[in-house]
Amino acid sequence: MSSATDTAIRASFFDFKSVADQPDALLSAARYLEDGVLRLRDGRVIGLAPWEECSAELAGQPVVDLRGKLIVPGFIDTHIHYPQTEMIGAFGEQLLEWLNHYTFPVEAQYYCPDHAARMSAFFLHQLLSNGTTSALVFGTVHPQSVEALFSAAEALNMRLIAGKVMMDRNAPDNLIETPEQSYQQTRALIERWHQRGRLSYALTPRFAPTSSPQLLAKVQQLRQEFPDTWLHTHLSENPQEVAWVKQLFPERAGYLDVYHHYQLTGRRSVFAHCVHLDDSEWQCLHDTDSTIAFCPTSNLFLGSGLFNLKRSWQQGVKVGIGTDVGAGTTFSMLQTLGEAYKVGQLQQYKLSAAEAFYHATLGGARALDLDHAIGNFNPGKEADFVVLDPAVSALQTLRIGNSKDIWEKLFVLMTLGDDRNIAQTWVNGRPVWQRDAGEQAA
Ligand code: GUN
Ligand code: ZN
């Protein structure tokens, strides 16, 4: 039975019906409907079916006709820094110098709530205009940075996870707090925002070098007090960083052991980068069911190294894709997948379009422990999706026209595509961004 509040959309659709533990399982999990209809009610999916099966039932009802477009689940960015939007593309440095020269001065501005509000709106607009409907987001050390971001995301009803940075050493004085302040401010934010609507909180110690043992003990305490929060940090991104952690924490077995010792590994723990892991660290990520955020454009831009995606499958470690703006160089998940492919090529690994789109959608949802809520078009899922225009330039039109099947089309989209290909973005069953309107419809 359909009701007056239902929405029906006719287009081509692509998603994955179920999660996969090996790349071989992706093809059987994939679903492609060249002419399908997606039905929504109250912000959720009722069902996805071939048009021919539903056309009689839908006769006389309004149908949003998007034939010629390809609809996929909203992209999920598993690692990004909203305050770094304004410094994307900063020249010449690798991680530790890049933080000191560019990042910290920019982040210091977020003491100002007006600045944070302006940049939150700008940031969310960038996400939506690139087809990203959910993200795991770093704020700055200032609680007001996260207040502003959550407020803006709540107005759009986005599913977003974010947290205030926690750091108490090896950063400028105006960005440092005491462990107790960090605990109190984080606790207050959790109480205000965690599990409010579609928002959730991530404990966000920046990384081991800016964390004293006392600060990490406070993070551990918060995790025990709020066990359903997320944990979001950086791990093993750059060789100098790894060496520094070993100097700062000689009593620990290695970089990951710093976090593991404070019980910060686990199902909702997301570690960005993981480029230079040793065998025992891979094993620990597997054993604790932790997640990696693979950030290809950032790892190339900062010269950090090549993430070993093949090994993550072999080790049974969940992976999501992160743009890592502002070390990453684009908000576009399509472009990020294209760069992930090149990172694979440099290691003789062929990242298929199936695998790439899996990581950007259902795989990312699973990596964030949100696959019960988002990531595909199964009934009951929250209706977050992207309407892709497969060809928006002469070159794309030529190349898509030469593509023999959906796999080739998806591969061309991740190779040549970008924000021009995002025709609409829907959140919770409503269009919140439309390319031709040029602004948020919400
Ligand atoms: N490690 C610690 N902080 C950061 C950051 O802001 N960006 C990246 N890419 N790595 C980090
Ligand atoms: Zn980062």
Side-chain angles (χ1 to χ4, degrees), residues 320-355:
I321 304 286
T323 59
D324 194 26
V325 166
T329 50
T330 179
F331 280 83
S332 167
M333 190 56 73
L334 295 174
Q335 288 189 314
T336 305
L337 297 179
E339 297 305 293
Y341 174 79
K342 296 172 196 170
V343 168
Q345 279 287 49
L346 288 164
Q347 302 171 91
Q348 283 70 51
Y349 182 74
K350 296 181 191 179
L351 174 63
S352 67
E355 181 180 345

mmCIF file of all heavy atoms in Angstrom, residues 320-355:
data_model
loop_
_atom_site.group_PDB
_atom_site.id
_atom_site.type_symbol
_atom_site.label_atom_id
_atom_site.label_comp_id
_atom_site.label_asym_id
_atom_site.label_seq_id
_atom_site.Cartn_x
_atom_site.Cartn_y
_atom_site.Cartn_z
ATOM 1 N N GLY A 320 37.312 2.230 5.289
ATOM 2 C CA GLY A 320 36.486 3.235 4.637
ATOM 3 C C GLY A 320 37.397 4.189 3.889
ATOM 4 O O GLY A 320 38.623 4.133 4.029
ATOM 5 N N ILE A 321 36.803 5.060 3.084
ATOM 6 C CA ILE A 321 37.596 6.047 2.343
ATOM 7 C C ILE A 321 37.462 7.404 3.038
ATOM 8 O O ILE A 321 36.351 7.816 3.405
ATOM 9 C CB ILE A 321 37.092 6.189 0.890
ATOM 10 C CG1 ILE A 321 37.096 4.831 0.174
ATOM 11 C CG2 ILE A 321 37.911 7.225 0.123
ATOM 12 C CD1 ILE A 321 38.430 4.310 -0.232
ATOM 13 N N GLY A 322 38.588 8.080 3.202
ATOM 14 C CA GLY A 322 38.573 9.437 3.746
ATOM 15 C C GLY A 322 39.161 10.405 2.742
ATOM 16 O O GLY A 322 40.166 10.105 2.097
ATOM 17 N N THR A 323 38.529 11.570 2.616
ATOM 18 C CA THR A 323 39.172 12.586 1.774
ATOM 19 C C THR A 323 40.293 13.276 2.549
ATOM 20 O O THR A 323 41.229 13.798 1.966
ATOM 21 C CB THR A 323 38.170 13.665 1.322
ATOM 22 O OG1 THR A 323 37.617 14.282 2.486
ATOM 23 C CG2 THR A 323 37.067 13.082 0.448
ATOM 24 N N ASP A 324 40.163 13.319 3.877
ATOM 25 C CA ASP A 324 41.147 13.986 4.738
ATOM 26 C C ASP A 324 41.430 15.423 4.314
ATOM 27 O O ASP A 324 42.563 15.897 4.425
ATOM 28 C CB ASP A 324 42.453 13.183 4.836
ATOM 29 C CG ASP A 324 43.338 13.665 5.972
ATOM 30 O OD1 ASP A 324 42.814 14.235 6.948
ATOM 31 O OD2 ASP A 324 44.580 13.492 5.882
ATOM 32 N N VAL A 325 40.442 16.113 3.802
ATOM 33 C CA VAL A 325 40.607 17.566 3.611
ATOM 34 C C VAL A 325 41.010 18.165 4.961
ATOM 35 O O VAL A 325 40.503 17.755 6.008
ATOM 36 C CB VAL A 325 39.256 18.169 3.155
ATOM 37 C CG1 VAL A 325 39.253 19.688 3.275
ATOM 38 C CG2 VAL A 325 38.939 17.730 1.721
ATOM 39 N N GLY A 326 41.998 19.094 5.052
ATOM 40 C CA GLY A 326 42.739 19.783 4.064
ATOM 41 C C GLY A 326 44.083 19.205 3.674
ATOM 42 O O GLY A 326 44.737 19.808 2.827
ATOM 43 N N ALA A 327 44.553 18.032 4.244
ATOM 44 C CA ALA A 327 45.729 17.394 3.654
ATOM 45 C C ALA A 327 45.314 16.717 2.356
ATOM 46 O O ALA A 327 46.094 16.644 1.408
ATOM 47 C CB ALA A 327 46.350 16.395 4.620
ATOM 48 N N GLY A 328 44.093 16.205 2.320
ATOM 49 C CA GLY A 328 43.543 15.685 1.079
ATOM 50 C C GLY A 328 43.192 16.848 0.178
ATOM 51 O O GLY A 328 42.928 17.964 0.640
ATOM 52 N N THR A 329 43.161 16.588 -1.134
ATOM 53 C CA THR A 329 43.065 17.715 -2.069
ATOM 54 C C THR A 329 41.707 17.854 -2.736
ATOM 55 O O THR A 329 41.555 18.669 -3.646
ATOM 56 C CB THR A 329 44.150 17.582 -3.151
ATOM 57 O OG1 THR A 329 44.085 16.258 -3.686
ATOM 58 C CG2 THR A 329 45.522 17.826 -2.566
ATOM 59 N N THR A 330 40.729 17.081 -2.308
ATOM 60 C CA THR A 330 39.395 17.238 -2.893
ATOM 61 C C THR A 330 38.326 16.748 -1.931
ATOM 62 O O THR A 330 38.578 15.841 -1.136
ATOM 63 C CB THR A 330 39.275 16.439 -4.216
ATOM 64 O OG1 THR A 330 37.953 16.607 -4.743
ATOM 65 C CG2 THR A 330 39.526 14.952 -4.016
ATOM 66 N N PHE A 331 37.129 17.339 -2.024
ATOM 67 C CA PHE A 331 35.958 16.816 -1.321
ATOM 68 C C PHE A 331 35.277 15.716 -2.129
ATOM 69 O O PHE A 331 34.363 15.059 -1.630
ATOM 70 C CB PHE A 331 34.920 17.928 -1.091
ATOM 71 C CG PHE A 331 35.210 18.822 0.075
ATOM 72 C CD1 PHE A 331 36.076 19.890 -0.037
ATOM 73 C CD2 PHE A 331 34.590 18.603 1.300
ATOM 74 C CE1 PHE A 331 36.332 20.731 1.031
ATOM 75 C CE2 PHE A 331 34.834 19.438 2.382
ATOM 76 C CZ PHE A 331 35.714 20.501 2.247
ATOM 77 N N SER A 332 35.671 15.591 -3.389
ATOM 78 C CA SER A 332 34.955 14.680 -4.287
ATOM 79 C C SER A 332 35.330 13.227 -4.015
ATOM 80 O O SER A 332 36.494 12.831 -4.162
ATOM 81 C CB SER A 332 35.294 15.022 -5.747
ATOM 82 O OG SER A 332 34.857 13.973 -6.586
ATOM 83 N N MET A 333 34.341 12.421 -3.656
ATOM 84 C CA MET A 333 34.612 10.990 -3.474
ATOM 85 C C MET A 333 34.957 10.348 -4.801
ATOM 86 O O MET A 333 35.783 9.440 -4.851
ATOM 87 C CB MET A 333 33.393 10.330 -2.819
ATOM 88 C CG MET A 333 33.614 8.925 -2.362
ATOM 89 S SD MET A 333 34.989 8.697 -1.203
ATOM 90 C CE MET A 333 34.319 9.407 0.284
ATOM 91 N N LEU A 334 34.355 10.821 -5.893
ATOM 92 C CA LEU A 334 34.700 10.243 -7.200
ATOM 93 C C LEU A 334 36.192 10.430 -7.486
ATOM 94 O O LEU A 334 36.901 9.494 -7.851
ATOM 95 C CB LEU A 334 33.868 10.890 -8.313
ATOM 96 C CG LEU A 334 32.362 10.639 -8.244
ATOM 97 C CD1 LEU A 334 31.638 11.453 -9.323
ATOM 98 C CD2 LEU A 334 32.043 9.151 -8.403
ATOM 99 N N GLN A 335 36.682 11.635 -7.296
ATOM 100 C CA GLN A 335 38.111 11.883 -7.536
ATOM 101 C C GLN A 335 38.976 11.098 -6.546
ATOM 102 O O GLN A 335 40.051 10.607 -6.903
ATOM 103 C CB GLN A 335 38.416 13.372 -7.390
ATOM 104 C CG GLN A 335 37.869 14.193 -8.532
ATOM 105 C CD GLN A 335 38.369 15.630 -8.482
ATOM 106 O OE1 GLN A 335 38.352 16.256 -7.416
ATOM 107 N NE2 GLN A 335 38.801 16.145 -9.614
ATOM 108 N N THR A 336 38.491 10.980 -5.313
ATOM 109 C CA THR A 336 39.271 10.254 -4.306
ATOM 110 C C THR A 336 39.392 8.775 -4.692
ATOM 111 O O THR A 336 40.456 8.160 -4.528
ATOM 112 C CB THR A 336 38.616 10.425 -2.922
ATOM 113 O OG1 THR A 336 38.482 11.824 -2.661
ATOM 114 C CG2 THR A 336 39.451 9.786 -1.823
ATOM 115 N N LEU A 337 38.317 8.210 -5.232
ATOM 116 C CA LEU A 337 38.372 6.811 -5.687
ATOM 117 C C LEU A 337 39.341 6.673 -6.864
ATOM 118 O O LEU A 337 40.073 5.685 -6.972
ATOM 119 C CB LEU A 337 36.977 6.318 -6.090
ATOM 120 C CG LEU A 337 35.926 6.288 -4.975
ATOM 121 C CD1 LEU A 337 34.581 5.798 -5.521
ATOM 122 C CD2 LEU A 337 36.362 5.436 -3.791
ATOM 123 N N GLY A 338 39.355 7.661 -7.735
ATOM 124 C CA GLY A 338 40.303 7.637 -8.854
ATOM 125 C C GLY A 338 41.748 7.638 -8.361
ATOM 126 O O GLY A 338 42.609 6.929 -8.895
ATOM 127 N N GLU A 339 42.022 8.409 -7.320
ATOM 128 C CA GLU A 339 43.383 8.432 -6.760
ATOM 129 C C GLU A 339 43.692 7.132 -6.012
ATOM 130 O O GLU A 339 44.830 6.660 -6.015
ATOM 131 C CB GLU A 339 43.560 9.639 -5.833
ATOM 132 C CG GLU A 339 43.421 10.982 -6.543
ATOM 133 C CD GLU A 339 44.367 11.133 -7.725
ATOM 134 O OE1 GLU A 339 45.586 11.201 -7.512
ATOM 135 O OE2 GLU A 339 43.877 11.174 -8.868
ATOM 136 N N ALA A 340 42.664 6.545 -5.386
ATOM 137 C CA ALA A 340 42.862 5.249 -4.713
ATOM 138 C C ALA A 340 43.277 4.190 -5.736
ATOM 139 O O ALA A 340 44.131 3.343 -5.467
ATOM 140 C CB ALA A 340 41.581 4.825 -3.993
ATOM 141 N N TYR A 341 42.686 4.267 -6.910
ATOM 142 C CA TYR A 341 43.060 3.339 -7.978
ATOM 143 C C TYR A 341 44.554 3.475 -8.312
ATOM 144 O O TYR A 341 45.266 2.495 -8.450
ATOM 145 C CB TYR A 341 42.207 3.609 -9.219
ATOM 146 C CG TYR A 341 42.619 2.787 -10.406
ATOM 147 C CD1 TYR A 341 42.239 1.458 -10.520
ATOM 148 C CD2 TYR A 341 43.420 3.339 -11.406
ATOM 149 C CE1 TYR A 341 42.653 0.685 -11.603
ATOM 150 C CE2 TYR A 341 43.835 2.580 -12.494
ATOM 151 C CZ TYR A 341 43.446 1.253 -12.581
ATOM 152 O OH TYR A 341 43.851 0.493 -13.644
ATOM 153 N N LYS A 342 45.030 4.724 -8.388
ATOM 154 C CA LYS A 342 46.445 4.954 -8.741
ATOM 155 C C LYS A 342 47.372 4.471 -7.628
ATOM 156 O O LYS A 342 48.455 3.944 -7.898
ATOM 157 C CB LYS A 342 46.674 6.437 -9.044
ATOM 158 C CG LYS A 342 45.895 6.906 -10.275
ATOM 159 C CD LYS A 342 45.986 8.423 -10.437
ATOM 160 C CE LYS A 342 44.937 8.931 -11.392
ATOM 161 N NZ LYS A 342 44.838 10.406 -11.388
ATOM 162 N N VAL A 343 46.936 4.643 -6.372
ATOM 163 C CA VAL A 343 47.726 4.117 -5.252
ATOM 164 C C VAL A 343 47.831 2.600 -5.391
ATOM 165 O O VAL A 343 48.892 2.008 -5.165
ATOM 166 C CB VAL A 343 47.092 4.513 -3.899
ATOM 167 C CG1 VAL A 343 47.719 3.749 -2.747
ATOM 168 C CG2 VAL A 343 47.220 6.018 -3.672
ATOM 169 N N GLY A 344 46.740 1.959 -5.802
ATOM 170 C CA GLY A 344 46.775 0.513 -6.044
ATOM 171 C C GLY A 344 47.727 0.155 -7.178
ATOM 172 O O GLY A 344 48.542 -0.766 -7.055
ATOM 173 N N GLN A 345 47.658 0.921 -8.267
ATOM 174 C CA GLN A 345 48.529 0.640 -9.419
ATOM 175 C C GLN A 345 50.005 0.656 -9.039
ATOM 176 O O GLN A 345 50.798 -0.133 -9.534
ATOM 177 C CB GLN A 345 48.297 1.688 -10.523
ATOM 178 C CG GLN A 345 47.102 1.441 -11.401
ATOM 179 C CD GLN A 345 47.312 0.289 -12.360
ATOM 180 O OE1 GLN A 345 47.738 -0.790 -11.970
ATOM 181 N NE2 GLN A 345 47.006 0.505 -13.630
ATOM 182 N N LEU A 346 50.384 1.565 -8.152
ATOM 183 C CA LEU A 346 51.791 1.653 -7.740
ATOM 184 C C LEU A 346 52.222 0.447 -6.910
ATOM 185 O O LEU A 346 53.391 0.291 -6.601
ATOM 186 C CB LEU A 346 52.023 2.958 -6.952
ATOM 187 C CG LEU A 346 52.004 4.217 -7.820
ATOM 188 C CD1 LEU A 346 51.848 5.469 -6.971
ATOM 189 C CD2 LEU A 346 53.275 4.297 -8.662
ATOM 190 N N GLN A 347 51.219 -0.393 -6.522
ATOM 191 C CA GLN A 347 51.536 -1.605 -5.751
ATOM 192 C C GLN A 347 51.021 -2.870 -6.459
ATOM 193 O O GLN A 347 50.804 -3.889 -5.814
ATOM 194 C CB GLN A 347 50.895 -1.524 -4.364
ATOM 195 C CG GLN A 347 51.335 -0.306 -3.557
ATOM 196 C CD GLN A 347 50.508 -0.157 -2.291
ATOM 197 O OE1 GLN A 347 50.868 -0.677 -1.246
ATOM 198 N NE2 GLN A 347 49.381 0.527 -2.394
ATOM 199 N N GLN A 348 50.769 -2.768 -7.757
ATOM 200 C CA GLN A 348 50.254 -3.915 -8.525
ATOM 201 C C GLN A 348 48.923 -4.426 -7.979
ATOM 202 O O GLN A 348 48.646 -5.611 -7.974
ATOM 203 C CB GLN A 348 51.263 -5.090 -8.562
ATOM 204 C CG GLN A 348 52.418 -4.893 -9.530
ATOM 205 C CD GLN A 348 53.367 -3.815 -9.059
ATOM 206 O OE1 GLN A 348 53.815 -3.852 -7.922
ATOM 207 N NE2 GLN A 348 53.670 -2.873 -9.922
ATOM 208 N N TYR A 349 48.101 -3.515 -7.459
ATOM 209 C CA TYR A 349 46.765 -3.912 -6.983
ATOM 210 C C TYR A 349 45.728 -3.226 -7.860
ATOM 211 O O TYR A 349 45.753 -2.002 -8.019
ATOM 212 C CB TYR A 349 46.572 -3.498 -5.521
ATOM 213 C CG TYR A 349 45.228 -3.937 -4.971
ATOM 214 C CD1 TYR A 349 44.994 -5.269 -4.668
ATOM 215 C CD2 TYR A 349 44.193 -3.021 -4.779
ATOM 216 C CE1 TYR A 349 43.760 -5.689 -4.186
ATOM 217 C CE2 TYR A 349 42.956 -3.428 -4.291
ATOM 218 C CZ TYR A 349 42.750 -4.759 -4.003
ATOM 219 O OH TYR A 349 41.527 -5.180 -3.528
ATOM 220 N N LYS A 350 44.802 -4.027 -8.424
ATOM 221 C CA LYS A 350 43.795 -3.457 -9.329
ATOM 222 C C LYS A 350 42.526 -3.158 -8.548
ATOM 223 O O LYS A 350 41.753 -4.080 -8.262
ATOM 224 C CB LYS A 350 43.482 -4.449 -10.450
ATOM 225 C CG LYS A 350 44.666 -4.737 -11.347
ATOM 226 C CD LYS A 350 44.270 -5.703 -12.449
ATOM 227 C CE LYS A 350 45.522 -6.182 -13.177
ATOM 228 N NZ LYS A 350 45.225 -7.136 -14.234
ATOM 229 N N LEU A 351 42.317 -1.914 -8.213
ATOM 230 C CA LEU A 351 41.102 -1.519 -7.482
ATOM 231 C C LEU A 351 39.953 -1.433 -8.483
ATOM 232 O O LEU A 351 39.904 -0.507 -9.304
ATOM 233 C CB LEU A 351 41.318 -0.164 -6.793
ATOM 234 C CG LEU A 351 40.083 0.432 -6.113
ATOM 235 C CD1 LEU A 351 39.590 -0.453 -4.967
ATOM 236 C CD2 LEU A 351 40.392 1.837 -5.592
ATOM 237 N N SER A 352 39.045 -2.394 -8.424
ATOM 238 C CA SER A 352 37.926 -2.401 -9.380
ATOM 239 C C SER A 352 36.921 -1.317 -9.007
ATOM 240 O O SER A 352 36.870 -0.850 -7.861
ATOM 241 C CB SER A 352 37.226 -3.764 -9.341
ATOM 242 O OG SER A 352 36.585 -3.928 -8.087
ATOM 243 N N ALA A 353 36.076 -0.963 -9.987
ATOM 244 C CA ALA A 353 35.009 0.002 -9.695
ATOM 245 C C ALA A 353 34.067 -0.563 -8.639
ATOM 246 O O ALA A 353 33.573 0.163 -7.767
ATOM 247 C CB ALA A 353 34.247 0.325 -10.973
ATOM 248 N N ALA A 354 33.830 -1.874 -8.687
ATOM 249 C CA ALA A 354 32.941 -2.479 -7.686
ATOM 250 C C ALA A 354 33.509 -2.252 -6.296
ATOM 251 O O ALA A 354 32.811 -1.795 -5.378
ATOM 252 C CB ALA A 354 32.790 -3.975 -7.966
ATOM 253 N N GLU A 355 34.784 -2.558 -6.139
ATOM 254 C CA GLU A 355 35.376 -2.386 -4.808
ATOM 255 C C GLU A 355 35.387 -0.915 -4.391
ATOM 256 O O GLU A 355 35.083 -0.572 -3.247
ATOM 257 C CB GLU A 355 36.799 -2.957 -4.778
ATOM 258 C CG GLU A 355 37.388 -2.799 -3.385
ATOM 259 C CD GLU A 355 38.798 -3.317 -3.216
ATOM 260 O OE1 GLU A 355 39.301 -4.075 -4.066
ATOM 261 O OE2 GLU A 355 39.403 -2.932 -2.184
#
